Amino acid sequence: MDESAARGPEVYATPNSTTPGQPVVFDAAVCTGCNICVHVCLEDVFIPHPRKGEPPILLYPEECWYCGPCVSACPHEGAIRLNHPLQQRVRWKRKSTGEHFRV
Amino acid sequence: MSAIHDDGRLLRWPYPVRYGNEQRVEADVLVLGGGIAGVWAAIAAARCGARVAILEKAATVHAGAGGAGVDHWQWAADNPASRVRPEELAQALVDNQGGYRNGISTYVQCASAYETLEEMERMGGKVRDTADEYRGADFRDEASRLLFAYDYTNRFVIRVWGADYKPLLRKECLRLGVRILDRTAATALLTEDGRHGARVVGATGLNTRTGAFVVVRAKAVILATSRPQRIWTFSTELRGLSTFRPPSDAGNGYAMAWRAGAQFTMMEKSMRSPFGSAYSFPAYGSGNAINTWYPCTIVDATGKEVPWVDGDGRVLHNVAERCRPAPGQRFFIMGGGSSSLPHPGLKQYAGPKPIPDLEERMRRGEFTPPFYADLAAMPELERKVIWGLMVGNEGKTRIPVMQTYAQSGFDPERDMLQTYDFLRGSGMREPVVPQERTFGESGVCGGLLTDWDLMSTLPGLFGAGDLVFGGQDHSHAAATGRYAGARAALFARAHAAAGLDERQLADEKRRVYAPLSVRGARTIDWKELNAGIARVMQNYCSEPKNDELLRLAETWLADLQANEAPLAGADNPHKLMRTLDVADILTCARIIVHACRARRASSAYLHFNRLDYPDVDPPEWHKWITVRQGEHGMETSELPIAFWGGLEDNYRPRHRANLAAMGSGGAAHRRSA
């Protein structure tokens, strides 16, 4: 039996993440890595990805103000969207059926 | 790959690092802060022919609380359909705060908000219903095609398509040759010969990506930075999208002007407010009856409508009546049972609102919680103007509210949005933690003392927008920015540039870069220091107050300043900026506590309750308390309540001179026919 199997799966000593951790979500298939969102951000939460063409890195997600210029300034529809914190997802009720929904 | 590792290695900082490198810039007029007030100031100064530079901590294209949009262009009494004159409206707004509102900046707004909006229109901004989408609506003026909000009879608040304004303003700055230094956080004001309390002759900045040091020499400086947030509440984990002002509003301008020796007033006022609370909801993004959502119908869980009443308590019978003054009332200001203000303002200006005893009636079984905002029940044009024009252009609503909710399936014609203001019947949002207060997250708050030139007590230092103890709104920022920009340009024409004091520069450089040298296990992160400040303020400078509590607040803030602030460390330019922000927040907290000790009387208007001076608004304390940092410590002084004198008389000659200067300065500036 080899030694690594005896040690079990690879597990690392990772710190906790800051939350909310994902204020925006990129679609890597649509994003061209143009970094316009990086340039317009009010809180400077992104940095450009070290590999050209890839979506920016969300370095300081907990500083996000959710103001939206990163989305409105993006030239590629669907490349980036806001992702509200779980504790602030607003609810609503459909009048005709009484069903309840949320963001 | 995680955010900070690439193939097991820490990512290198993506920008070149230039700590200590100096960039020197010359300008006639330097604007600190590229939000709404800042770009308007820069445009006006440039039209007067001044060489202008802006330092902006973020990116000017959308920077500022209104950088992503505006829906209400408030107090535009100079518009052609208004039935209230600027003087009357400005006086009402000041009276409604018990006199505690900057009459100068308020009058500038009331007298030139529409003139400013017309200039916005010439830059390409949409200000009227040119597509006739709202033809025939109660809130439309057919002659001008302007749309109005709140009081449809008197028509001095204009509904606008403001989400696109900020990029247009930036474009105009560039067209006029304004030098924009984005990602450059202003850190200090430079004074003549480095003397405390002397004429302001420039400022320093920190590039927040490279860490380089920027030095600007200027003949006049305009502070257009916002109010300090995060004084009582600080939680990056909880606040999310609930605040009306960007979390990076750290009161940098307050702290800079304070260190230079400028005078401030009304710094003792703070409000118990859910805005900015750690437990609030998306700004403008839950159903309610105020502000952007005025005059939306609220219903209970069974679909029963919550009645509205006018300022006299008379029950209203339809939506149209919610937008008219009460019988015999001259006009009303806002309405909707607006905001969380414990002081309701004067009855003579009170607007319609949902019944104030909703919670009691719910407890008696008359209504069933939870409550909803029922857009679908509104008349079609009223629904469309709330969800589509107001939500869609106000503040940060276009993407986080309108687009995000629509993508999740929300349909204003079929769905009722949960209201968290009235969730269980309470007519006002309440902060979850009662000690949470805000310094002007919303509403009128204290700031830089100004004269009729919007100049501070330091020659050459002007103020505009949020920090001049007047309005908190977009058109106030725009109109005062425009006015201050012209006044500063005229000052710059009359004054030569002064030399910079190299010792003052070296001292500031040392202060700015100190956090980079903090190392070791005792290092404190900026967030923890901010949380520590907020807790001192919650415990010792919340409500009610007495001198012993405030003395302890002073003691413990001084203790943080002496012991923990020097341990706040940063290891890249971004964290260095955040660490400097918290240093400014600490300075602002100390100003606030000092001002609170100086007012030895309670005041309902100032939301100020002293256990040791329980008389509320005694006449002998109906005055401004001013504070400044002198060379040998904090100084307190006072001014009579309406120290600004006549409104129209003081304004008119200056306004005329501003128009003349702006008309001749910018070569391509056109006055409308």
Side-chain angles (χ1 to χ4, degrees):
Chain A
M1 194 163 130
D2 84 40
E3 206 185 319
S4 66
R7 288 165 57 112
E10 273 192 58
V11 174
Y12 297 94
T14 54
N16 284 327
S17 306
T18 52
T19 62
Q22 287 245 295
V24 305
V25 177
F26 289 99
D27 183 340
V30 183
C31 176
T32 64
C34 71
N35 292 321
I36 286 177
C37 52
V38 180
H39 300 318
V40 303
C41 179
L42 265 68
E43 303 295 320
D44 218 5
V45 303
F46 307 102
I47 55 171
H49 199 286
R51 284 189 291 275
K52 232 178 150 63
E54 290 197 34
I57 290 166
L58 203 40
L59 184 58
Y60 298 113
E62 80 279 24
E63 293 182 21
C64 179
W65 189 41
Y66 299 80
C67 50
C70 56
V71 176
S72 57
C74 179
H76 306 287
E77 209 186 320
I80 178 172
R81 67 174 174 83
L82 287 191
N83 183 41
H84 289 192
L86 200 49
Q87 76 269 23
Q88 290 180 331
R89 303 242 176 124
V90 163
R91 268 76 173 172
W92 60 86
K93 181 179 180 181
R94 184 139 299 165
K95 286 184 89 163
S96 56
T97 63
E99 290 171 282
H100 292 265
F101 301 91
R102 70 169 169 93
V103 166
Chain B
M1 191 180 88
S2 78
I4 55 167
H5 291 88
D6 189 12
D7 303 330
R9 289 176 312 169
L10 269 177
L11 278 182
R12 284 191 73 97
W13 187 245
Y15 309 105
V17 176
R18 312 237 189 272
Y19 293 139
N21 279 19
E22 243 180 69
Q23 180 188 5
R24 297 232 175 184
V25 175
E26 294 273 330
D28 296 324
V29 175
L30 169 64
V31 181
L32 303 181
I36 308 308
V39 291
W40 274 102
I43 288 168
R47 289 204 204 293
C48 296
R51 286 173 310 158
V52 183
I54 298 178
L55 301 192
E56 164 53 43
K57 184 155 65 168
T60 306
V61 63
H62 283 294
V70 55
D71 62 346
H72 287 111
W73 200 269
Q74 296 204 123
W75 322 136
D78 59 329
N79 89 79
S82 173
R83 294 199 189 160
V84 179
R85 289 185 317 105
E87 181 117 20
E88 192 181 5
L89 183 59
Q91 198 56 55
L93 289 165
V94 169
D95 292 348
N96 210 36
Q97 301 281 337
Y100 296 112
R101 177 184 187 122
N102 186 343
I104 299 165
S105 76
T106 302
Y107 188 76
V108 167
Q109 178 180 18
C110 292
S112 68
Y114 181 69
E115 182 182 289
T116 306
L117 188 63
E118 282 186 301
E119 195 172 324
M120 188 70 245
E121 189 173 33
R122 290 194 295 275
M123 290 179 226
K126 182 168 157 120
V127 310
R128 60 191 90 226
D129 184 25
T130 44
D132 292 331
E133 286 174 86
Y134 299 95
R135 192 200 295 272
D138 232 9
F139 48 83
R140 185 174 125 131
D141 175 57
E142 290 304 320
S144 62
R145 294 197 271 192
L146 291 170
L147 306 183
F148 294 94
Y150 300 119
D151 187 333
Y152 294 170
T153 302
N154 291 293
R155 305 190 161 190
F156 47 78
V157 178
I158 304 172
R159 287 168 148 146
V160 296
W161 289 257
D164 303 315
Y165 286 3
K166 196 69 201 301
L168 293 168
L169 290 161
R170 176 176 172 273
K171 208 169 122 191
E172 184 71 356
C173 283
L174 294 175
R175 194 184 70 78
L176 292 166
V178 173
R179 181 155 181 199
I180 297 176
L181 286 91
D182 280 341
R183 306 293 173 195
T184 306
T187 69
L189 299 171
L190 300 169
T191 51
E192 193 158 23
D193 303 323
R195 278 181 298 118
H196 185 81
R199 179 187 160 197
V200 172
V201 294
T204 58
L206 172 77
N207 185 302
T208 66
R209 288 180 169 177
T210 67
F213 196 65
V214 179
V215 178
V216 189
R217 191 170 78 128
K219 296 172 186 164
V221 176
I222 302 171
L223 273 180
T225 54
S226 192
R227 304 159 169 187
Q229 304 302 300
R230 297 154 43 188
I231 299 270
W232 280 267
T233 303
F234 178 67
S235 166
T236 54
E237 301 269 315
L238 292 171
R239 273 169 64 139
L241 65 164
S242 66
T243 63
F244 290 83
R245 282 181 162 68
S248 51
D249 285 356
N252 306 114
Y254 284 71
M256 277 184 270
W258 178 259
R259 289 194 292 265
Q263 220 164 38
F264 285 79
T265 195
M266 205 167 53
M267 295 300 290
E268 65 273 31
K269 179 182 174 185
S270 64
M271 285 191 271
R272 186 178 171 195
S273 163
F275 303 133
S277 153
Y279 298 96
S280 193
F281 278 88
Y284 321 103
S286 72
N288 60 67
I290 60 172
N291 200 299
T292 290
W293 285 75
Y294 191 87
C296 191
T297 295
I298 305 293
V299 299
D300 80 350
T302 69
K304 182 174 175 181
E305 239 183 80
V306 175
W308 280 57
V309 291
D310 67 15
D312 297 325
R314 195 179 60 105
V315 175
L316 305 176
H317 300 289
N318 55 50
V319 173
E321 284 187 349
R322 297 172 194 166
C323 302
R324 302 285 174 204
Q329 188 179 32
R330 173 76 182 88
F331 58 89
F332 70 85
I333 296 172
M334 299 201 115
S338 181
S339 77
S340 54
L341 304 180
H343 193 278
L346 299 179
K347 195 166 177 292
Q348 73 187 99
Y349 303 121
K353 60 185 177 189
I355 44 171
D357 58 347
L358 177 62
E359 190 173 352
E360 282 166 56
R361 288 165 69 169
M362 175 194 78
R363 287 182 193 282
R364 291 201 303 263
E366 213 178 309
F367 295 95
T368 310
F371 293 83
Y372 298 88
D374 193 354
L375 283 169
M378 298 285 285
E380 189 195 352
L381 293 179
E382 290 283 353
R383 174 174 63 248
K384 278 178 57 186
V385 83
I386 292 175
W387 192 271
L389 198 162
M390 310 304 276
V391 174
N393 283 285
E394 169 65 329
K396 42 175 188 149
T397 57
R398 178 164 290 181
I399 302 296
V401 180
M402 199 163 77
Q403 188 194 84
T404 303
Y405 293 13
Q407 284 171 348
S408 303
F410 177 74
D411 178 350
E413 295 184 19
R414 299 202 291 167
D415 297 324
M416 302 183 298
L417 197 60
Q418 188 72 73
T419 164
Y420 297 96
D421 303 28
F422 298 91
L423 183 66
R424 282 181 291 272
S426 167
M428 294 186 284
R429 300 191 229 195
E430 288 295 331
V432 174
V433 181
Q435 289 80 16
E436 281 189 320
R437 300 181 72 75
T438 75
F439 187 84
E441 166 77 25
S442 175
V444 175
C445 73
L448 192 69
L449 187 66
T450 61
D451 64 13
W452 268 103
D453 292 328
L454 288 182
M455 190 163 82
S456 73
T457 52
L458 302 183
L461 180 67
F462 295 76
D466 260 3
L467 92 172
V468 295
F469 70 106
Q472 79 279 18
D473 58 292
H474 197 112
S475 92
H476 177 262
T480 59
R482 182 170 174 266
Y483 181 92
R487 299 316 295 166
L490 292 170
F491 180 94
R493 274 187 199 174
H495 292 79
L500 301 183
D501 182 66
E502 293 300 324
R503 209 186 44 190
Q504 189 174 39
L505 281 173
D507 287 348
E508 177 58 9
K509 228 171 177 176
R510 241 190 323 276
R511 186 189 77 88
V512 163
Y513 293 112
L516 296 172
S517 311
V518 178
R519 297 267 187 283
R522 293 179 64 216
T523 305
I524 292 177
D525 189 73
W526 62 269
K527 289 198 250 179
E528 185 167 353
L529 182 57
N530 198 153
I533 296 164
R535 186 55 60 97
V536 169
M537 294 299 280
Q538 286 169 22
N539 287 339
Y540 302 110
C541 192
S542 187
E543 291 286 87
K545 299 173 171 75
N546 70 14
D547 201 60
E548 177 66 2
L549 285 159
L550 294 169
R551 205 181 52 76
L552 285 166
E554 237 169 40
T555 301
W556 293 125
L557 291 176
D559 168 70
L560 288 176
Q561 184 96 61
N563 295 307
E564 275 76 19
L567 297 175
D571 56 14
N572 68 36
H574 180 91
K575 289 192 213 166
L576 183 56
M577 156 183 67
R578 292 288 177 246
T579 307
L580 294 170
D581 279 351
V582 179
D584 285 351
I585 286 171
L586 181 50
T587 299
C588 291
R590 298 184 77 181
I591 305 172
I592 289 166
V593 172
H594 175 66
C596 288
R597 284 195 79 182
R599 183 171 284 279
R600 293 188 303 280
S602 295
S603 170
Y605 289 106
L606 298 171
H607 305 220
F608 189 73
N609 177 6
R610 293 271 311 231
L611 288 168
D612 41 358
Y613 300 100
D615 275 5
V616 178
D617 290 305
E620 69 273 21
W621 279 92
H622 192 229
K623 60 190 173 190
W624 300 97
I625 300 297
T626 67
V627 294
R628 80 183 279 266
Q629 177 166 269
E631 274 184 278
H632 307 290
M634 295 203 186
E635 295 170 4
T636 304
S637 182
E638 58 186 61
L639 277 171
I641 199 75
F643 67 86
W644 44 75
L647 297 174
E648 203 173 341
D649 296 347
N650 277 296
Y651 171 80
R652 197 185 296 142
R654 290 175 174 84
H655 176 245
R656 200 178 299 132
N658 289 355
L659 287 184
M662 288 194 283
S664 64
H669 177 51
R670 308 174 301 273
R671 289 287 303 157
S672 67

